[in-house]
Amino acid sequence: MMLPPGWPVTLSDGPVVLRPYQRRDARAWSEVRRANEQWLAQWEPTPPGPWYELNSPSSFRYVLRELRRSARLGEAMPFAVCYDGQLVGQLSIGNIVRRAFCSGFAGYWVDSRMAGRGIIPTALALAVDHAFSAGGLHRIEVNIRPENAPSRRVVEKLAFREEAYHPRYLHIDGTWRDHVGYAVTAEDVASEGGLLARWHRLSRPMV
Ligand SMILES: CC(C)(COP(=O)(O)OP(=O)(O)OC[C@H]1O[C@@H](n2cnc3c(N)ncnc32)[C@H](O)[C@@H]1OP(=O)(O)O)[C@@H](O)C(=O)NCCC(=O)NCCS
């Protein structure tokens, strides 16, 4: 079977590790998802049923099957995000379209108990650099509800470009929500040695 460009892979920077999900993540995934319903539901696609059931350890089997299917087809790079060896979130490059577009959407979340440590900016920088190299992509978009200040900070800290305003763009938390479109292209970060290098430069300025 032909594997898609850049998948599977494990990426890391210090305590932040991105890797494909494994079957044995079921319990940890369920614990973190169930503990974060209030934190996550307002920003996620409208779920087809009750949160508690959709995020049970046994539901993980179906989640994993779907993530693996889209990864195998080259449509997504769905990473588990780990910090100090613990599963704390997810970062996916999804909706990958190749040919003349070579673009994908990034989506992410982190456990509220681990927020504010720069885990997701680091994870996003790692994933984008990989997508632009082994993944063969040229552009990554992030679409964010205007009121999601923490998520807008993530892309603004990485110096993504704000490019668009999409009225009633995605069905999130029960209805069609406006989104602000941000993007970065391979050319934007090539001269800096990649997005992770940019993030290190911007977050840890030399004095
Ligand atoms: C958006 C999100 C992924 C950011 O991840 P993170 O690893 O905490 O990112 P950072 O550490 O860079 O923090 C980003 C901003 O969150 C805010 N923040 C920090 N700690 C926080 C906390 N405990 N609670 C809420 N917001 C916090 C700060 O404004 C921070 O910006 P700053 O560095 O300028 O102070 C995370 O807030 C989250 O999972 N939110 C819910 C899901 C979501 O919104 N996903 C994105 C949909 S587009």
Side-chain angles (χ1 to χ4, degrees), residues 88-105:
V88 295
Q90 179 169 318
L91 187 142
S92 295
I93 311 274
N95 286 69
I96 294 174
V97 175
R98 295 189 180 273
R99 297 173 66 91
F101 199 35
C102 287
S103 185
F105 289 7

Side-chain angles (χ1 to χ4, degrees), residues 39 43 108-110 115-121 148 150-151 153 157:
W39 172 252
W43 313 119
Y108 43 73
W109 57 265
V110 73
R117 301 173 192 218
I119 295 174
I120 292 298
N148 191 346
S151 185
R153 282 294 300 146
K157 287 193 289 186

Side-chain angles (χ1 to χ4, degrees), residues 11-26:
L11 309 169
S12 65
D13 183 53
V16 178
V17 175
L18 271 62
R19 58 160 175 80
Y21 277 107
Q22 301 157 354
R23 240 175 290 174
R24 64 170 177 271
D25 290 324

